[in-house]
DNA sequence: GATGAATGAGTGTTCATTCAT
DNA sequence: CATGAATGAACACTCATTCAT
């Protein structure tokens, strides 16, 4: 049982790495297999087809993000602090797992991210929605749609991580400015 | 000469439409050609190869965005008003040209968007950078890197247009909330 | 022992059903196994490989046909009547076992039906040859090669069953005409 | 134009030869291409997919048979003689074109020969139906459904050609007997 | 310049067969 | 004996690119 799961995990990890390095296109099933140390056919034991593999990666990714951020959410803190933690933890997670960030960024605007998939609930979106719902209930942030709020915040974190990576070797200074963005967003969404 | 340009334009337009409808994958050169009313081989008269075509589309797109937004920028207005116009015009442009928005969204996180390309200046980025530089100079917005500011704002506009399209038929109410996001961002970036 | 035979039978039956429904192509070993309620590997306990399975089905089928027709052959009747019974019983058998008819029809003209296999005697061909040999001996049918006669008659029964199935829902009237074919053939082969 | 048709013809001829030699299974598209002296991709210029190629072959084959037999049908002769010519010409055609006979024999009982295809009229079936309709009109053969009659006769010719090929090197004598089958069938269908 | 048939390397996928459990 | 995950050769098919017309 654990062997099976290990194999599925290693296929997903292999695909994640390849997608980050070569983009969605440069990721043939045969290469994923080779990288994962399995035969090409084996992938089809765990996934119906390549699309299903991509969706499988998405589901894995979404679960990992949720796990990391939710485990570090301390409900006893004031919401402002929880927000900054949310922001910091999500950023950290992406920086610790660049292949996940690379995949997620590409996935969101790809045709793989179908309407059907977006409509279905997923653990990460549910957590994020509930998180901002909480902030609204507690009167700490503006009464906006929590779905909109979570997309807004997550998109900004995504962008900033991307900018950081692009600027990595250029300007140390920018990193400080980028960290200011969280304040900027908080100022925007906090209740008046 | 103008015939040649017309043909190039129609190839680009055809590709834009197909990419929006079928994503980057579902856009073979032969289909672009058919859609544009030319032979497949003709595309190689105007573009070296498919990558060059995609880059060509990007350059076209970037020019169109810049033209639309810059033409509507009124330097005589106070910067706050210019910011809201910038936001509104960029949003309008994307909503008037969904295929451009669809392309741009996919392009930004794709492997086509190489480091080289990002390093090279382009008219739209230059305009946006100068725009926010202006706001800083005039003391109306915080002293942040204008490059960072423009990416931040543009990313948010992109996201919101995308959210609007996803929500189009669901919640009328959300559109109002989405329009509030511009205030939220302004509150974040305006000088204290 | 009987368990083993049961398992072999159920594998054969499963393959027969699948071949009738999906043709020779649409009949992977894994599907035969699933349909038979055994694991894919188990099939290789009973058959050396897929070709051997197909041959095994053929041998089973040929035995079943022979059993049905020979059991209903009454040697005490005049040969003309025996001929009509032969025709009727073979037709009935195919109509009761459409998957056998479907398999046999496909098998006969397939590359599985090798020269080697045709040269080897099989119970059904031997019975049929002997049957027509009998008719010749008794002076009731023309002095033709009994092998040729049996192929001729069997081919015609096969075709007629096939036509009946194609016409099943179209023309009731045709069925009567099709039943006349046996007279037509008898008129052809009976001794002058 | 004629070059294009030549290429299509050579693809069809190549596939016909391979199907006769290796059966339906042993006929990969790549081998058909190699045999025809074209690239694999070229086949898809002329046929949508492999199924379409098989159907294309069928249509070609059916046209060739019709052409050969109809060109040699002499309406001025008495129907009995026309029937014997029909039989002889069809037999000759198959013996001159063994790959067509091999293909047709396999095709008829294969899943490629769908209900849809059988329902659609084709030149050969139409000719054969009209031929036997003629015989009925002229009062020379029994009042049976001409569709049934033509299938019956064609099936018998097919079988006999097959038997001849199997027996080719064994018994010279049989050929004479096989030629008698036409009389046998004529005796069966002729008007009383 | 424009065409579109031809190319063939590359891709996703299937499936007969094996073998560790 | 039975299992079914794993294999990898083989397949159908796609598509960026070329080039003779």
């Amino acid at each position: 049982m654990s062997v099976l799961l290990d194999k599925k995990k290693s296929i997903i990890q292999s695909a994640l790495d390849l997608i980050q390095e070569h983009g969605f296109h440069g990721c043939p099933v045969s290469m994923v297999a080779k990288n994962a140390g399995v035969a090409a056919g084996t992938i089809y034991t765990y996934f119906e087809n390549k699309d299903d593999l991509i969706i499988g990666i998405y589901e894995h990714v979404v679960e990992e993000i949720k796990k990391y951020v939710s485990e570090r959410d301390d409900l006893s803190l004031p919401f402002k602090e929880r927000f900054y933690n949310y922001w910091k933890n999500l950023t950290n997670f992406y920086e610790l797992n660049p292949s996940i960030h690379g995949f997620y960024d590409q996935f969101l605007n790809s045709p793989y991210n179908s309407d059907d998939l977006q409509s279905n609930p997923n653990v990460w979106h549910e957590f994020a929605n509930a998180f901002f719902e909480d902030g609204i209930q507690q009167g700490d942030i503006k009464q906006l749609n929590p779905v909109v709020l979570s997309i807004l915040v997550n998109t900004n974190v995504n962008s900033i991580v991307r900018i950081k990576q692009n600027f990595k070797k250029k300007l140390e200074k920018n990193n400080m400015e980028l960290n200011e963005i969280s304040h900027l967003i908080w100022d925007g969404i906090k209740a008046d």
Side-chain angles (χ1 to χ4, degrees), chain A:
Chain A
M1 185 65 172
S2 77
V3 173
L4 294 193
L5 285 181
D6 281 1
K7 206 158 266 184
K8 192 171 182 178
K9 281 266 171 68
S10 78
I11 291 168
I12 287 178
Q13 193 56 53
S14 157
L16 269 171
D17 294 346
L18 285 170
I19 288 168
Q20 192 207 8
E21 198 174 356
H22 301 108
F24 260 126
H25 284 103
C27 178
V29 172
S30 59
M31 210 183 281
V32 173
K34 199 177 178 182
N35 216 263
V38 302
T42 305
I43 294 195
Y44 293 85
T45 307
Y46 297 95
F47 303 96
E48 266 187 35
N49 51 39
K50 197 183 177 182
D51 279 22
D52 192 41
L53 166 61
I54 304 286
I55 303 297
I57 298 171
Y58 173 67
E59 280 164 0
H60 165 79
V61 153
V62 139
E63 211 156 327
E64 293 290 305
I65 301 175
K66 186 261 177 181
K67 206 171 76 186
Y68 190 92
V69 178
S70 67
E71 275 174 359
R72 286 162 182 77
D73 182 28
D74 183 347
L75 292 161
S76 66
L77 297 175
F79 190 77
K80 182 179 174 180
E81 236 168 297
R82 288 177 65 200
F83 171 82
Y84 279 108
N85 279 338
Y86 177 105
W87 187 286
K88 188 192 70 195
N89 292 325
L90 187 51
T91 305
N92 285 348
F93 179 78
Y94 284 142
E95 291 182 339
L96 288 168
N97 300 279
S99 61
I100 287 185
H101 181 256
F103 171 85
Y104 198 56
D105 235 22
Q106 282 184 67
F107 183 87
L108 286 181
N109 303 317
S110 79
Y112 287 118
N113 190 15
S114 65
D115 290 351
D116 276 1
L117 202 64
Q118 287 208 354
S119 308
N120 282 348
N122 79 51
V123 283
W124 164 234
H125 289 165
E126 276 174 354
F127 171 81
N129 295 345
F131 180 84
F132 288 102
E133 180 74 46
D134 235 31
I136 296 166
Q137 297 289 347
Q138 295 175 19
D140 291 317
I141 54 176
K142 294 194 176 111
Q143 295 229 348
L144 293 160
N145 185 337
V147 174
V148 169
L149 274 170
S150 69
I151 295 177
L152 180 77
V153 170
N154 292 345
T155 301
N156 276 289
V157 173
N158 271 346
S159 305
I160 286 156
V161 172
R162 203 185 325 132
I163 298 172
K164 274 189 183 175
Q165 264 159 10
N166 289 339
F167 281 173
K168 198 168 277 176
K169 294 154 192 163
K170 295 181 191 166
L171 302 172
E172 279 300 310
K173 215 180 63 186
N174 286 314
N175 278 348
M176 287 181 58
E177 291 175 4
L178 286 164
N179 289 334
E180 300 254 322
I181 306 289
S182 56
H183 307 304
L184 193 151
I185 297 286
W186 173 256
D187 284 352
I189 66 170
K190 73 173 177 206
D192 308 309

